[in-house]
């Protein structure tokens, strides 16, 4: 069967180039072509073709969206190792078609019991440099991905757990070609030669990066996956694999960490309430804390609801200005209030209250930037905590799935910075997610909400998102990597689809622009460059930079699914028709 494809090869690349040439002119949607090939009724959009195919293989076998996502993410552990994997964590938001119930699953890493709030301070009490903190055992959080998959699979899996591992084991045994992007990431990565096992896997003997096209086998990962396939997640969190992880972390030749087998055995994934709010007659649902992604995204949308973005259109400097201003205000709140809800009370209701957002939006002028925004004062909440925004770097992966029964999900998974802590064990990389904590435990005598504490989850920006239409049916599943930029990437795409009525693929390809309560950052070498003078005249400080989102998603229109894959990366959306689609 050859599925219809949304591939950011020629077609999406062409869309992107067109976007560069004429920001306000959009090519005709490609829906007619999709119709001719049959309307897809199940679909997987992921960062690598082999991962999307693995997901599709599960759907064809009668698997659910959760089954497909697990199979796809296990393949990503192998083929996109720089971004995510079983040595890291994830967030997943899911809707069950039958009941309409939206649930979210938290597989975020935790700090080991022995970690102190001084984890990232040097002997003089000064914060470590970023890479001094990242490389080695110190930054490794207790991985959460597999426990989260176990929880989600118990709730929504249809195929046997073991079956979900087959594609990843097959590819790890047979080998896969190093993609151009993986090669580039290897070539650009710092400290990939810090540890022998990692160096031997990604580098030639002379220290040069293995070239694109190199056939890479990973028998150690195949063996690891075989054991977890047979014995369940416990085979990872207890016994030999757990012992090997703890040993690798604690005996690292640089920055040995404090993780124990008890930390691994004690890890718990958590089902949490998703955060949802209305936007333009739709309902947008996202992941709540410990990620800041959902709350910040919904705050921005809430503040923008009073502005007619549709009339302004995507090529308008005023639209970019308004979106940037709302983002400043939301990021000011994010930086003050959001952290792990198990450690710091999270005023989610107050932050999303319509009256509060209306008041905050009142600070936005149509013609002049408000400059750096201050966090809002919430009734009854004493803002005793503050934290600096530590710059999370850009790695991570996002995938979306809709199955034939109409169940849908968005999954964002991460090992934090590219190649995580650079430590490899049993064929997989360990995350450096703990560097998402604030390095300073306190500032001006006040403790940071996001400081390191034993067992705590570091604040994230990941924003897997589901959107429902006025009829209650799924409209979109979406997400992206990009550290704190994730929020802006997902926001732009949502506005592209919901306000500017663009097909998802074109909304993804729109040039990126982000404001994290500082400069307005515009994607370099795009039509946004021409907009800079108008934004500067409104008081924005502008910075051009690469903003390599990795947006993947699925859009549902009527009874047809349309995929979206970011032309900036090498992902793909694969869909098939499987008879009549669930209504
Ligand atoms: N560690 C980051 C977070 O949880 C994600 C990193 C990235 O997207 O590159 O928000």
């Amino acid at each position: 069967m050859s599925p219809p494809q949304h591939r950011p090869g020629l077609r999406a690349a062409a869309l992107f180039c067109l976007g560069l040439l004429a920001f306000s002119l959009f090519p005709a949607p490609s829906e007619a072509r999709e119709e001719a090939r049959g309307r897809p009724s199940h679909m997987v959009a992921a960062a690598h073709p082999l991962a999307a195919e693995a997901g599709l293989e599960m759907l064809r076998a009668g698997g659910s969206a959760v089954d497909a996502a697990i199979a796809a993410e296990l393949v990503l552990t192998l083929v996109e190792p720089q971004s995510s994997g079983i040595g890291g964590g994830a967030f997943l938001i899911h809707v069950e078609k039958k009941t309409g119930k939206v649930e979210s699953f938290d597989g975020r890493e935790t700090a080991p019991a022995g970690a102190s709030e001084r984890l990232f301070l040097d002997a003089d009490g000064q914060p470590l440099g970023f890479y001094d903190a990242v490389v080695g055992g110190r930054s490794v959080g207790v991985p959460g991905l597999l426990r989260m998959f176990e929880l989600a699979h118990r709730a929504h899996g249809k195929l046997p757990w073991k079956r979900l591992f087959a594609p990843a084991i097959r590819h790890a045994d047979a080998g896969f070609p190093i993609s151009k992007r993986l090669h580039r990431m290897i070539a650009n990565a710092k400290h990939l030669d810090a540890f022998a096992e990692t160096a031997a896997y990604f580098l030639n003997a002379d220290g040069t990066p293995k070239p694109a096209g190199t056939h890479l086998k990973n028998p150690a990962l195949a063996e690891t996956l075989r054991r977890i396939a047979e014995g369940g997640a416990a085979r990872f969190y207890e016994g030999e694999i757990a012992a090997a992880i703890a040993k690798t972390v604690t005996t690292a030749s640089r920055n040995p960490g404090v993780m124990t087998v008890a930390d691994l055995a004690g890890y718990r994934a958590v089902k949490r309430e998703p955060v949802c709010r209305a936007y333009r007659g739709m309902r947008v649902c996202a992941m709540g804390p410990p990620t800041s992604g959902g709350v910040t995204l919904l705050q921005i949308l809430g503040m923008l609801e009073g502005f007619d973005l549709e009339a302004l259109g995507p090529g308008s400097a005023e639209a970019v200005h308004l979106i940037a201003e709302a983002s400043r205000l939301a990021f000011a709140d994010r930086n003050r209030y959001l952290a792990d809800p198990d450690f710091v009370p999270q005023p989610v209701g107050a932050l999303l209250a319509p009256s509060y957002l209306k008041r905050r939006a009142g600070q936005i002028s149509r013609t002049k930037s408000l400059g750096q925004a201050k966090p809002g004062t919430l009734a009854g909440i004493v803002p005793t905590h503050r934290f600096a925004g530590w710059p999370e770097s850009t790695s991570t992966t996002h995938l979306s799935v809709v199955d034939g029964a109409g169940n849908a999900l968005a999954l964002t998974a991460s090992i934090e910075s590219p190649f995580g802590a650079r430590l490899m064990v049993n064929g997989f990389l360990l995350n450096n997610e703990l560097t998402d904590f604030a390095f300073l435990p306190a500032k001006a005598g006040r403790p940071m909400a996001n400081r390191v504490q034993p067992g705590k989850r570091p604040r994230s920006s990941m924003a897997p998102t589901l959107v429902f239409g006025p009829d209650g049916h799924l409209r979109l599943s979406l997400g992206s990597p990009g550290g704190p930029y994730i929020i802006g990437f997902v926001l732009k795409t949502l506005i592209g689809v919901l306000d500017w009525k663009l097909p998802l693929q074109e909304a993804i390809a729109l040039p990126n622009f982000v404001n994290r309560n500082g400069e307005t950052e515009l994607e370099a070498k795009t039509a946004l460059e021409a907009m800079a003078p108008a934004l500067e005249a409104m008081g924005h400080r502008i910075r051009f930079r690469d903003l390599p989102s990795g947006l993947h998603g699925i859009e549902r229109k009527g009874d047809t699914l349309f995929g979206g894959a970011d032309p900036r990366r090498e992902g793909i959306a694969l869909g098939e028709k499987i008879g009549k689609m669930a209504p």
Side-chain angles (χ1 to χ4, degrees):
M1 192 155 9
S2 112
Q5 302 187 351
H6 286 259
R7 197 167 160 57
L10 275 184
R11 188 177 65 78
L15 292 184
F16 191 52
C17 293
L18 253 178
L20 306 186
L21 291 174
F23 187 36
S24 55
L25 287 181
F26 295 99
S30 57
E31 292 166 21
R33 210 173 324 165
E34 293 305 327
E35 295 277 348
R37 289 163 145 173
R39 299 170 170 208
S41 44
H42 65 198
M43 188 173 272
V44 184
H48 193 287
L50 291 178
E53 279 165 19
L56 215 51
E57 186 181 319
M58 298 303 124
L59 295 177
R60 268 182 215 147
S64 65
V66 163
D67 294 329
I70 295 174
E73 174 53 35
L74 292 172
V75 170
L76 289 171
T77 301
L78 175 74
V79 299
E80 201 199 23
Q82 72 274 23
S83 292
S84 73
I86 61 174
F91 295 109
L92 186 160
I93 181 162
H94 178 272
V95 62
E96 184 181 58
K97 176 72 188 177
K98 207 168 55 200
T99 57
K101 199 160 121 201
V102 182
E103 294 170 304
S104 61
F105 297 87
D106 170 350
R108 185 69 164 169
E109 297 89 335
T110 53
S116 92
E117 61 179 28
R118 300 181 60 83
L119 186 69
F120 295 119
L121 299 182
D122 66 16
D124 302 326
Q126 295 304 308
L128 294 174
F130 187 67
Y131 285 110
D132 295 335
V134 164
V135 180
R138 186 192 302 245
S139 66
V140 182
V142 183
L145 186 82
L146 284 165
R147 280 287 186 217
M148 189 196 78
F149 278 168
E150 178 183 60
L151 195 64
H153 184 254
R154 279 192 188 139
H156 300 292
K158 276 174 75 185
L159 296 175
W161 172 259
K162 186 178 169 187
R163 174 80 180 84
L164 314 178
F165 287 68
I169 293 171
R170 207 167 60 224
H171 292 306
D173 276 334
F176 69 98
I178 291 182
S179 71
K180 285 193 184 131
R181 180 172 170 82
L182 175 53
H183 165 71
R184 236 181 9 255
M185 299 294 288
I186 297 171
N188 294 336
K190 295 190 176 79
H191 308 291
L192 214 47
D193 56 356
F195 304 105
E197 188 171 343
T198 317
Y201 187 63
F202 292 110
L203 305 174
N204 293 316
D206 64 359
T208 54
K210 289 188 179 169
T214 304
H215 196 73
L216 201 56
K217 290 187 184 181
N218 192 336
L221 180 62
E223 178 55 24
T224 300
L225 294 176
R226 262 192 278 275
R227 290 192 200 180
I228 305 165
E230 287 296 337
R235 288 296 284 274
F236 178 93
Y237 288 93
E238 294 159 23
E240 282 175 25
I241 299 176
I245 294 172
K247 184 163 176 233
T248 304
V249 169
T250 51
T251 63
S253 54
R254 268 164 82 168
N255 266 332
V258 291
M259 193 185 296
T260 63
V261 288
D263 289 317
L264 285 145
Y267 182 86
R268 298 281 174 272
V270 187
K271 211 152 130 190
R272 297 193 190 273
E273 268 310 299
V275 290
C276 298
R277 105 175 285 288
Y279 183 68
R280 313 273 189 226
M282 306 273 164
R283 182 161 161 261
V284 183
C285 289
M287 190 78 216
T291 182
S292 62
V295 172
T296 309
L297 185 68
L298 295 187
Q299 276 202 310
I300 300 171
L301 292 174
M303 285 185 262
L304 289 171
E305 191 135 42
F307 297 95
D308 189 353
L309 295 179
E310 183 178 1
L312 292 172
S316 127
E318 190 179 341
V320 171
H321 160 73
L322 293 171
I323 295 164
E325 296 298 281
S327 300
R328 286 179 195 282
L329 289 157
F331 264 87
D333 280 353
R334 166 196 187 266
N335 293 348
R336 167 146 297 178
Y337 295 109
L338 299 180
D340 183 346
D342 296 341
F343 285 75
V344 184
Q346 293 292 285
V348 171
L351 288 168
L352 294 177
S355 56
Y356 174 70
L357 292 177
K358 201 160 170 215
R359 224 172 46 239
R360 294 288 279 165
Q363 294 185 44
I364 301 176
S365 144
R366 298 194 80 110
T367 52
K368 194 170 175 333
S369 174
L370 60 88
Q372 192 155 40
K374 294 199 172 51
T377 314
L378 300 175
I381 308 265
V382 185
T384 50
H385 303 288
R386 293 196 310 174
F387 35 73
W390 206 266
E392 299 106 302
S393 56
T394 69
S395 180
T396 309
T397 203
H398 178 81
L399 65 90
S400 285
V401 185
V402 177
D403 68 23
N407 305 306
L409 62 79
L411 166 75
T412 310
S414 180
I415 55 167
E416 217 301 286
S417 75
F419 304 97
R422 317 301 197 261
L423 284 170
M424 233 177 156
V425 53
N426 291 25
F428 60 91
L429 283 161
L430 292 172
N431 71 84
N432 68 297
E433 217 73 55
L434 300 187
T435 56
D436 275 357
F437 281 118
F439 282 23
L440 281 174
K443 212 171 175 181
R446 293 194 293 190
M448 303 282 203
N450 189 34
R451 69 186 181 282
V452 184
Q453 291 176 272
K456 189 175 177 183
R457 289 156 149 86
R459 183 189 62 193
S460 168
S461 298
M462 293 193 268
T465 302
L466 297 175
V467 181
F468 301 91
D471 56 3
H473 292 315
L474 180 83
R475 178 80 174 81
L476 274 176
S477 166
L478 185 66
S480 178
Y485 294 91
I486 289 172
I487 295 163
F489 296 158
V490 172
L491 175 71
K492 169 212 74 173
T493 311
L494 286 178
I495 291 173
V497 174
L498 302 180
D499 288 281
W500 297 332
K501 313 288 189 262
L502 297 172
L504 175 62
Q505 180 61 46
E506 291 171 32
I508 287 174
L510 278 178
N512 286 318
F513 51 94
V514 176
N515 191 303
R516 297 175 298 141
N517 198 16
E519 295 157 321
T520 296
E521 298 175 73
L522 306 177
E523 188 169 6
K525 302 190 193 77
T526 69
L528 289 174
E529 291 195 339
M531 207 182 267
L535 290 167
E536 275 165 347
M538 288 189 257
H540 291 258
R541 280 186 298 123
I542 299 293
R543 183 205 282 227
F544 296 109
R545 51 174 301 162
D546 285 343
L547 289 172
S549 50
L551 289 149
H552 297 112
I554 300 174
E555 178 181 21
R556 183 184 154 135
K557 284 190 200 162
D559 63 355
T560 305
L561 299 175
F562 296 92
D566 203 317
R568 300 164 186 84
R569 301 209 182 192
E570 51 196 13
I572 188 168
L574 296 175
E576 290 173 337
K577 181 173 167 55
I578 46 142
K580 197 165 159 37
M581 189 176 175

